[in-house]
Amino acid sequence: MEDRRTIALVDCNSFYVSCERLFEPKLSGKAVVVLSNNDGCVVARSREAKALKIAMGVPFFQIKDHVDAGRLIAMSSNYTLYGDMSHRVMRTLSELGFPQEVYSIDECFLDLSDAVEPVATMAEARRRVAHDVGIPTSIGIACTKTLAKLASDLAKEHPAGVYAFPPPGPELAKILRNVPVIDVWGIGPRIGKVLLELGVHTALDLARMNVHTMRERYGITGARVVQELRGVRCIELEEVQPKQSITSSRSFAGQVTELDDLRAAVASFVERACEKARSGHRAATALTVFIEHNRFDPRAPDCSGALTHHLSVPTNLTSELMHYASEMVRRLWRPGGRWKKAGVLLLGLVDDRSQQTSFLDQVDRERGKALAAAVDEINNKHGRLVVRCAATCLSKDWRPLMERCSPRYTTRWDEVPKIG
DNA sequence: TCTGGGGTCCTAGGACCC
DNA sequence: TCTGGGGTCCTAGGACCC
C-alpha cells in the first residue's frame, strides 16, 4: 500500500573549507575553520578541526590559542565564492536528470525512485562532482528524507562516501539503535533534552515512540519525524520554492548608540535586501525593521525592538522602503540605548512581474503622468473607469489606482472608483 | 440574565535547520 | 575585548465576520 520512494541526500563535506581548499591546496589535510562575518565565530570546520573538538559556532577568541600555536588555520569567509561553487555542484547534480530539491547551500535531495541502481548512480554522481567541481561529498540513500539525512551522516564514515539504509525492518533498527536521538533531523537541543529525560536516547527509541504522544507534545512536526524514521514518507521533495522572506542583518563591531548611525546601517540593509528581491523577481508586501541589544551581556540595557509596516502595494524599490525603514528606526530608537545588531526583513513576498518597475520609476514618470491624465479624461467622460492593472501601469502616479486593485501585480481587469 | 459556532486572517513567538 | 546570517514551519490567541 505504501509507495516506496528512494531519496538521496547529497551533502558537501565541510563545504566552506572545501571551497577554500580548491584555491589554497596547501590547506588540504590541515585543521581549518572558516569564520563568520567580522571573523566572529566558526561557521565551518574541516574534519581535522573537528578532531580538535572545535564546536560549530564557537566564538573565535575561544579557539585563538589553537591558531597561535599553529595547530589550526582560520580563514575569513567569502560567501560569493561559496555561492558560486554551490551553484556548480547543484548544476552538475541536476544533469543526472533526477528531481532535485536544493535544500541549502551545501545539500540537496534527489528523488531516485526511477533509478535502477541507486547506489551505483550516486557513486557516479559523487565522482562527477569531485572531478568537475572539486568538492568532496557524502551521499545517504533511504526511503524518506529524514532517513536519507541520517544515512548521509553515516556515509561520512564510509570510504566510498555513499551509504544506503536497508528497508525498514530489524536490520535498520539495529543501525538506528546506535544513532543518538539528538542527531535526528528535526530534533534540536530543546526537544532533544526533553526526550532524553523521557528515556528516549536513540533514533530507534524515537521511531518507537507513540505518534500521538509526539503529536500532542511537539505538534505535527514531531509526529512527522517519528513516522519518517519508520519509513513512512511525510516530507515531500520540494523543487525550487520561491522565497517567502528575505533578511539582511549584521552584528555591529562595536556598540551603536546614535540614531543616525542606526539609520545608516538599516539603510544599507534595505538596499541589500531590495537587491536580493529584485534579482529573484520578488516584491515585498511587508517590511520589518529590528534592532537588538547585546544578548551576551546580562547587564546590557534591553533596548531591542521590532516594527512591521504593511505596504499597500508590493515593492522592491530601495528608495520607497528606505522611507518607511527610516521612520521605523526613528520610532525604535531611544536615548541611552546601546545596540549590537540590526536588520530588515522583507516579508510576504510575491511574484514581481514588473521587472521594469525600477526602470519605470526612474525614467517613465512622464509617461505615468500622461497615463494619469488619460484616466482623468475617461473619468470625466464616463464617471467611473475600468482599468487594466498591467505591470506597465506601475509608475508612482498610478499607485493610488493600484491600491484599489489586486494587492499583487496581476494582470486583470478591475473596477476602480473615480480618481481625483 | 441569558450570551453560538464556525470560519478567516493576522501576529508574536517558539523551535528548528544550515 | 571578542559571540553569524540567513531561512522555514507551526501554534496559540485575538480580532473580526456572519
Side-chain angles (χ1 to χ4, degrees):
Chain A
M1 51 157 239
E2 284 167 31
D3 58 327
R4 281 256 180 268
R5 291 256 174 118
T6 307
I7 305 290
L9 179 77
V10 183
D11 188 320
C12 299
N13 299 341
S14 310
F15 183 55
Y16 297 170
V17 173
S18 297
C19 291
E20 296 294 342
R21 279 177 172 166
L22 279 176
F23 296 88
E24 289 234 28
K26 64 171 188 264
L27 296 176
S28 291
K30 304 247 173 71
V32 180
V33 293
V34 172
L35 303 172
S36 66
N37 254 323
N38 294 334
D39 292 345
C41 62
V42 171
V43 293
R45 307 157 293 160
S46 71
R47 175 187 284 263
E48 298 79 7
K50 286 172 193 166
L52 285 176
K53 299 244 184 304
I54 289 168
M56 189 70 166
V58 295
F60 177 60
F61 68 87
Q62 286 178 13
I63 56 163
K64 201 166 166 297
D65 287 350
H66 283 304
V67 178
D68 292 343
R71 289 188 291 268
L72 179 68
I73 301 169
M75 310 283 295
S76 296
S77 45
N78 178 352
Y79 290 101
T80 315
L81 168 68
Y82 311 148
D84 183 57
M85 297 311 296
S86 170
H87 193 71
R88 294 186 203 200
V89 171
M90 300 308 168
R91 198 179 50 208
T92 304
L93 290 169
S94 76
E95 283 163 4
L96 298 166
F98 298 104
Q100 178 185 38
E101 175 190 340
V102 177
Y103 176 69
S104 73
I105 193 164
D106 68 337
E107 287 168 287
C108 79
F109 289 100
L110 297 173
D111 187 339
L112 298 185
S113 302
D114 291 337
V116 184
E117 231 332 313
V119 174
T121 309
M122 286 302 97
E124 168 61 13
R126 192 169 176 274
R127 192 199 63 77
R128 232 188 258 189
V129 172
H131 177 268
D132 294 1
V133 193
I135 298 288
T137 52
S138 302
I139 305 180
I141 301 170
C143 57
T144 64
K145 285 169 97 172
T146 305
L147 286 172
K149 196 106 166 60
L150 271 186
S152 81
D153 289 339
L154 301 185
K156 294 196 195 316
E157 308 308 321
H158 283 247
V162 180
Y163 180 69
F165 270 156
E171 205 188 331
L172 180 60
K174 230 165 115 185
I175 299 166
L176 295 185
R177 195 159 54 206
N178 292 316
V179 176
V181 71
I182 197 77
D183 290 351
V184 175
W185 190 40
I187 302 299
R190 225 38 179 264
I191 294 174
K193 186 161 171 272
V194 180
L195 287 176
L196 287 181
E197 284 164 11
L198 289 171
V200 177
H201 297 277
T202 68
L204 181 63
D205 294 339
L206 184 57
R208 289 184 173 165
M209 264 196 81
N210 185 299
V211 179
H212 300 290
T213 313
M214 281 301 282
R215 175 71 180 86
E216 273 166 29
R217 281 173 186 264
Y218 307 111
I220 190 72
T221 26
R224 277 208 279 248
V225 172
V226 170
Q227 291 285 57
E228 285 246 320
L229 284 176
R230 296 177 183 177
V232 179
R233 186 160 46 87
C234 301
I235 310 171
E236 298 297 329
L237 201 86
E238 289 165 16
E239 297 184 58
V240 281
Q241 287 275 17
K243 276 207 196 335
Q244 297 182 42
S245 66
I246 290 171
T247 309
S248 175
S249 68
R250 283 281 181 281
S251 296
F252 303 131
Q255 283 175 339
V256 169
T257 57
E258 300 303 314
L259 174 59
D260 282 345
D261 296 339
L262 215 47
R263 257 200 187 126
V266 167
S268 72
F269 301 146
V270 169
E271 196 168 347
R272 246 204 314 265
C274 284
E275 269 169 31
K276 275 192 219 171
R278 286 195 296 267
S279 71
H281 304 309
R282 305 292 279 164
T285 55
L287 166 75
T288 294
V289 173
F290 69 84
I291 55 180
E292 276 178 17
H293 70 278
N294 188 350
R295 65 198 157 100
F296 295 103
D297 181 357
R299 288 162 309 168
D302 183 356
C303 49
S304 302
L307 283 174
T308 299
H309 176 77
H310 292 265
L311 305 149
S312 48
V313 177
T315 184
N316 51 27
L317 297 180
T318 310
S319 57
E320 196 168 334
L321 290 172
M322 202 89 94
H323 165 76
Y324 298 116
S326 180
E327 170 61 16
M328 287 150 84
V329 174
R330 193 190 61 74
R331 272 196 260 167
L332 288 167
W333 185 87
R334 57 171 196 256
R338 305 209 306 263
W339 291 277
K340 195 72 183 99
K341 182 179 178 179
V344 304
L345 285 81
L346 303 188
L347 302 168
L349 296 187
V350 295
D351 196 23
D352 176 25
R353 290 159 202 249
S354 67
Q355 290 158 35
Q356 68 272 54
T357 303
S358 49
F359 166 76
L360 277 175
D361 222 63
Q362 287 164 22
V363 303
D364 217 18
R365 291 256 157 104
E366 289 310 308
R367 192 165 145 234
K369 278 182 199 155
L371 283 167
V375 169
D376 275 337
E377 197 184 321
I378 300 169
N379 263 342
N380 293 335
K381 245 186 228 168
H382 302 286
R384 53 191 335 195
L385 170 69
V386 178
V387 180
R388 188 160 200 224
C389 297
T392 46
C393 299
L394 283 170
S395 162
K396 274 226 164 60
D397 301 285
W398 282 70
R399 287 283 155 78
L401 283 181
M402 290 299 298
E403 282 174 23
R404 312 306 300 255
C405 304
S406 158
R408 300 184 177 201
Y409 288 157
T410 49
T411 302
R412 68 188 185 95
W413 292 87
D414 207 345
E415 278 200 333
V416 175
K418 183 172 173 170
I419 57 163

